[in-house]
Amino acid sequence: SYWNIEVDGLGSNPLASVNYPHITGIGPLGQSGDDDVLLLPTHRGALFHNPTTNFASGLGSAYPGGLQSMQLLSYFDQTSGFYFASDDTQGNKKGFFWGKTSSPAGDFSITIANNLNGLPADTVTVPYNLIVGVTQGDWSAAADLYRTWAVQQTWTQQSRTKTVPAWLRGIALSQWECTHGCQGTGQPEQSYASALLSMQQSEKGFNVSTMEQLNGWEKFGASAYGDYFPPQEGWNAFDAMVQSLRPGKLWLFPSALLLDTATDLYKSGTMSSSAMLDQQGNPQTTPVNGSNTGPNVFMDFSTDPWRQFMVGAYQTLASHGADLIQLDSSMVFGPVGCYNPAHQHPPGSGGNWQTLAWIDITQRITAAVAAVNPNAAVSAEEPAEVYLPYFSLYWGSGVDQLETNPASQEPVPLFQYVYHDSILFLGGGLGGSVLDGSFFRLGVARGLTWGDYQIFRFPGNLNAAAQAYLQSAIAAQTTYARKFVVDGVMLPAPQLSAPTTPVTWITNFATNAQGTGQFPSIQEGAWRATDGTVGIILTNIAPSSVTFSLPISYSHLGLPPGAAYTVQSTGGSAATTLDANLVKDSAYSITLTSQQILLVTLTPKATPPQIFPAGVVLHSSTSTTVSPGTIIDIYGSNFPVAETSAPQDSPRLPAILGNVQVLVNGIPAPLLYVGPAVIIAQVPGSVLPGTASVVVSRDGAASAAANITVQPAAPSILTYGTKRATVQNPDYSLNSSTNGAKAGDNVLAYLVGSGPVAPALADGVPAPNPSSDSPLSRETLDTVVTVGGLSANVTFAGMVPGLVGLVVVTFQVPDLPPGDYPIQVSIGTYQSNSPVITVAP
């Protein structure tokens, strides 16, 4: 259900926050709560086990930020659960919270805090819907609900059009190094030259393309944010290091948010006008700082002095050869309150002024970097979903930080599950072969099965076994498993029953504090490649062999019922066939030795569909230019043998028809008809203008993508016979050479390629019939009709009631002598074809 709230009668009072929905009386879902789980998008995703017992102090954070990267929360057990979300598309600040109430009953509450802009208004409406529902299954069930919505959003669609440098897609490994001001990082002070030697040894030792993360190059050392130049050892030494590193790549970590109070720049007062202030007029600070630095002041990135300064800093680093430049410690915090009266934004952190400001400065940084180094890229630490179009890489630095108590708190790849095809991922740092090496194995296994590039620290600590395991994971990721874990879409992982193994790790390098926990011996991930093949990547982190049963569930993996697959396993060389003809749920016994990696593939036996060249066109047209919401025809081969049409009485067109599915930019398209030679579908309304991909799948096998051009409107008048327009005369008879309309008659022309309409229509839902509750859906762009070059009076332009994707334009025939005349319809600036109608005497 979709909930909304309006508050009125405020007079001139500012409304800063509305806690809605606020649901109390929550307790354990089952008899004891032992199997209860709370899912939050903390960092990339986290499960909080038995939260009514383990998390009375509360959980949750502000969106959009690294601690609340998406707009959902789910509370469930093995049989059922609750789902909370919002459908905000504009990045407004809000928070999803779990906590214990003050009631003597000891119950818990779930609250969505909607933080508004705090400006005075008599009436305020929360500018989005709050979604409350139910879910069943593991955490991927809630993720599926969210992904269905997320794939249609602007940030996802825009992400498909961004350019990611080819070198970044080919990176296999990232190494972390520190030079100056490294206390507290676990690394000693060293020179650029010493760090370079370590990086070169790593590149040579692993014999793969490596990206080097370098801290401590800054003027004041590691994590001294804001005041960077000249670098610690000067530009000559810096440039020499960069050149000697080639062909390796350099990754640097400035922040666009923080200014260290120990730096010269802060002490000079040059940027004081851009500081964020609290309500008492004091600078907003955070204790997050480097070893030799002071607290950091939050800087207002919407102000020109700081914005211009930071854009220049990123451009300077790109001009000196930095390949990947990160907005470090910037997005993690989420919206920060600023009450500086001199700044041109609402006071506080409510509304979406910070989201818009982040997008603005990020676009400026990206453009500035590209101007001096077109092959460079920009990344971010823990960015939220709204920022996906502006970054090439997501650095999930918080994964290992969550391992404080694995029995109650467990990281999961929620963000990857929803957005893996929108951005590349690199996980948190691995602590090398410390202690017994078990956490290193867990980190490598998670990186591989979660679709992360591998990252490690302290190469000198890697023993032969650890290095061999890391190299095996790199080999899988870059070769036989690449089309799944790098280029694929994450599926729900198989529900294995395997023993656990103890894992130990260092929680604090400064104190050598240690943590320990039990983790599944078999780490696994399931993926779907673009050709429809499913890959299940499995690896054993236990010190000995493990035998287990691998279940294949059609419903769990989203496989078409009854589709046939060949099941094989491989470790990178020869493949072993486990099942030559899988057609229903099954299970296979697997044995993995310690640190062994195995890929199990399910390859569709159906011949993949083929879309003909220029085979995706506007309905009843040859144009490959379409518009959102319109009807398209897809011509090809290996489509279904049997003809199937969508049920006529269905309130919504199906997304799967006759075991056929069509994806447009990854969004399921509503289907009207599937047949041996043609498929008729609707372009989803959320597809953005530009180039879009169309993929047809049948019985699990997917076609190669075909490209179409999408523009806001693409009007095409339907025709019959020899280029005659499909127009109805006033008596609803078909206009023809022997049955014309008279000048002054009101006639109806039918076309496809609509522009935007109001009220907007959901994908696959027929346009409403006119009523007081459901007004006709009309074109919002100006619609112009000409007949024989003369303008006609348009009385209606909109969607045909009761149908999907069909436009009708009602107009008055101009004063023309009898004869045949071309008719043309323009929606906005987009013009249709010019078939003919007949004007009768």
Side-chain angles (χ1 to χ4, degrees):
S1 59
Y2 291 77
W3 298 10
N4 202 282
I5 189 169
E6 178 183 283
V7 182
D8 57 21
L10 294 170
S12 60
N13 293 305
L15 180 60
S17 179
V18 178
N19 290 348
Y20 177 85
H22 179 68
I23 298 175
T24 62
I26 298 174
L29 295 175
Q31 293 297 318
S32 66
D34 288 345
D35 64 344
D36 292 353
V37 177
L38 181 71
L39 171 68
L40 280 171
T42 300
H43 295 291
R44 290 183 292 175
L47 301 180
F48 299 89
H49 296 280
N50 197 357
T52 56
T53 297
N54 296 327
F55 296 99
S57 59
L59 294 167
S61 188
Y63 172 91
L67 298 181
Q68 186 75 34
S69 56
M70 296 182 285
Q71 306 171 70
L72 81 156
L73 174 156
S74 184
Y75 176 48
F76 58 91
D77 64 9
Q78 295 178 359
T79 59
S80 61
F82 300 100
Y83 174 82
F84 297 87
S86 64
D87 60 3
D88 176 21
T89 63
Q90 303 301 313
N92 289 282
K93 183 186 177 184
K94 62 186 68 68
F96 289 72
F97 297 104
W98 161 276
K100 195 171 187 177
T101 72
S102 58
S103 166
D107 59 321
F108 287 74
S109 67
I110 290 175
T111 302
I112 301 179
N114 306 279
N115 303 111
L116 308 176
N117 61 23
L119 297 176
D122 184 62
T123 300
V124 174
T125 301
V126 174
Y128 45 82
N129 291 307
L130 290 312
I131 302 166
V132 181
V134 294
T135 182
Q136 187 175 30
D138 61 18
W139 65 265
S140 63
D144 280 328
L145 289 173
Y146 195 81
R147 183 161 66 180
T148 299
W149 174 80
V151 72
Q152 303 179 56
Q153 302 315 307
T154 301
W155 51 79
T156 309
Q157 293 297 300
Q158 287 180 340
S159 292
R160 299 178 185 277
T161 65
K162 67 186 175 188
T163 300
V164 177
W167 69 262
L168 186 56
R169 295 196 66 84
I171 283 292
L173 184 67
S174 178
Q175 176 181 334
W176 187 89
E177 285 288 339
C178 187
T179 55
H180 303 282
C182 304
Q183 294 90 337
T185 68
Q187 276 203 335
E189 295 285 309
Q190 60 180 330
S191 65
Y192 291 174
S194 176
L196 175 64
L197 179 61
S198 175
M199 292 186 285
Q200 289 172 329
Q201 289 174 338
S202 171
E203 182 109 7
K204 182 179 180 180
F206 284 99
N207 195 30
V208 294
S209 178
T210 303
M211 179 169 62
E212 308 296 346
Q213 302 181 47
L214 183 63
N215 279 22
W217 58 271
E218 303 92 335
K219 178 180 178 181
F220 290 92
S223 301
Y225 290 125
D227 195 354
Y228 301 110
F229 310 132
Q232 179 85 201
E233 297 181 27
W235 281 118
N236 289 339
F238 182 93
D239 293 340
M241 174 186 61
V242 173
Q243 291 305 312
S244 299
L245 178 63
R246 302 301 183 214
K249 304 298 182 180
L250 182 63
W251 186 8
L252 302 180
F253 296 77
S255 173
L257 174 65
L258 302 174
L259 177 58
D260 196 305
T261 56
T263 61
D264 292 342
L265 178 63
Y266 181 80
K267 293 175 181 178
S268 72
T270 305
M271 289 293 160
S272 59
S273 65
S274 291
M276 290 188 176
L277 303 181
D278 61 21
Q279 289 176 290
Q280 288 72 44
N282 301 312
Q284 295 271 39
T285 62
T286 173
V288 177
N289 56 273
S291 301
N292 297 323
T293 60
N296 291 284
V297 170
F298 288 106
M299 303 300 289
D300 191 339
F301 39 88
S302 72
T303 59
D304 282 338
W306 180 253
R307 181 167 51 195
Q308 293 174 8
F309 177 77
M310 289 312 306
V311 170
Y314 281 77
Q315 187 171 44
T316 297
L317 291 173
S319 69
H320 282 271
D323 301 287
L324 185 65
I325 315 174
Q326 179 158 301
L327 273 70
D328 196 49
S329 297
S330 296
M331 306 270 173
V332 176
F333 293 97
V336 180
C338 177
Y339 298 87
N340 193 324
H343 296 177
Q344 302 300 309
H345 58 68
S349 59
N352 67 343
W353 71 265
Q354 289 197 41
T355 299
L356 298 179
W358 268 130
I359 290 173
D360 177 72
I361 191 174
T362 304
Q363 289 176 321
R364 292 171 188 246
I365 287 172
T366 303
V369 167
V372 298
N373 188 354
N375 209 29
V378 179
S379 63
E381 181 180 6
E382 313 280 3
E385 60 191 356
V386 288
Y387 308 119
L388 285 175
Y390 314 106
F391 300 108
S392 297
L393 182 78
Y394 180 116
W395 187 38
S397 63
V399 170
D400 53 340
Q401 297 169 10
L402 289 177
E403 301 296 2
T404 55
N405 185 0
S408 59
Q409 191 169 332
E410 174 189 358
V412 292
L414 173 63
F415 206 95
Q416 290 100 312
Y417 190 91
V418 176
Y419 289 118
H420 188 272
D421 57 347
S422 295
I423 193 169
L424 300 174
F425 287 85
L426 191 143
L430 303 179
S433 187
V434 296
L435 302 179
D436 60 0
S438 57
F439 184 68
F440 179 83
R441 294 194 296 273
L442 175 63
V444 171
R446 280 181 173 167
L448 175 62
T449 59
W450 291 6
D452 291 350
Y453 291 145
Q454 298 288 350
I455 176 177
F456 72 100
R457 298 176 180 174
F458 320 141
N461 289 350
L462 287 181
N463 59 33
Q467 180 165 330
Y469 188 38
L470 182 55
Q471 286 183 304
S472 295
I474 292 170
Q477 188 175 52
T478 56
T479 56
Y480 61 94
R482 179 185 173 93
K483 74 175 186 178
F484 302 108
V485 298
V486 175
D487 301 324
V489 174
M490 187 177 278
L491 300 175
Q495 297 173 324
L496 303 181
S497 178
T500 61
T501 188
V503 172
T504 61
W505 64 96
I506 296 177
T507 59
N508 188 313
F509 284 102
T511 63
N512 205 36
Q514 299 177 10
T516 184
Q518 291 288 329
F519 292 82
S521 299
I522 305 301
Q523 298 287 311
E524 77 280 5
W527 299 83
R528 184 179 60 248
T530 56
D531 61 2
T533 305
V534 171
I536 301 171
I537 190 80
L538 304 156
T539 184
N540 178 15
I541 66 170
S544 58
S545 296
V546 174
T547 298
F548 59 96
S549 178
L550 173 63
I552 302 297
S553 166
Y554 272 60
S555 60
H556 191 71
L557 293 173
L559 307 179
Y565 292 86
T566 300
V567 183
Q568 294 181 305
S569 65
T570 180
S573 54
T576 300
T577 298
L578 303 179
D579 195 333
N581 189 41
L582 173 71
V583 293
K584 61 181 181 179
D585 292 357
S586 188
Y588 306 95
S589 179
I590 305 287
T591 298
L592 293 182
T593 59
S594 178
Q595 302 185 59
Q596 183 182 356
I597 296 169
L598 189 71
L599 175 69
V600 176
T601 58
L602 282 65
T603 305
K605 299 187 72 174
T607 304
Q610 180 182 3
I611 302 175
F612 292 153
V616 184
V617 295
L618 268 173
H619 181 56
S620 297
S621 168
T622 59
S623 174
T624 57
T625 299
V626 306
S627 64
T630 193
I631 303 300
I632 55 173
D633 299 333
I634 306 170
Y635 295 95
S637 59
N638 299 324
F639 290 174
V641 175
E643 296 181 277
T644 308
S645 297
Q648 292 186 354
D649 58 349
S650 174
R652 189 169 195 153
L653 293 175
I656 299 177
L657 188 62
N659 264 7
V660 170
Q661 184 179 48
V662 174
L663 298 178
V664 182
N665 266 7
I667 305 172
L671 301 176
L672 291 88
Y673 167 87
V674 298
V678 64
I679 296 169
I680 304 176
Q682 183 189 26
V683 177
S686 54
V687 174
L688 297 179
T691 300
S693 65
V694 178
V695 173
V696 174
S697 64
R698 175 178 69 90
D699 290 326
S703 71
N707 289 334
I708 54 175
T709 300
V710 181
Q711 59 189 33
S716 177
I717 301 171
L718 297 178
T719 62
Y720 74 97
T722 306
K723 294 184 178 180
R724 292 202 59 88
T726 301
V727 171
Q728 286 181 322
N729 295 323
D731 62 357
Y732 298 106
S733 63
L734 185 63
N735 184 281
S736 68
S737 59
T738 59
N739 186 34
K742 296 180 181 180
D745 281 350
N746 286 307
V747 298
L748 297 86
Y750 293 91
L751 55 151
V752 292
S754 169
V757 295
L761 300 174
D763 293 343
V765 175
N769 289 299
S771 70
S772 58
D773 294 330
S774 301
L776 290 172
S777 194
R778 299 173 181 266
E779 297 284 343
T780 60
L781 299 177
D782 289 340
T783 303
V784 175
V785 175
T786 61
V787 180
L790 296 182
S791 294
N793 179 37
V794 175
T795 57
F796 176 81
M799 309 309 294
V800 177
L803 297 178
V804 173
L806 186 61
V807 181
V808 62
V809 178
T810 304
F811 65 93
Q812 191 174 40
V813 177
D815 189 10
L816 290 166
D820 288 345
Y821 296 94
I823 173 179
Q824 188 173 65
V825 177
S826 298
I827 299 179
T829 60
Y830 306 97
Q831 297 180 331
S832 74
N833 53 338
S834 300
V836 298
I837 64 170
T838 297
V839 178

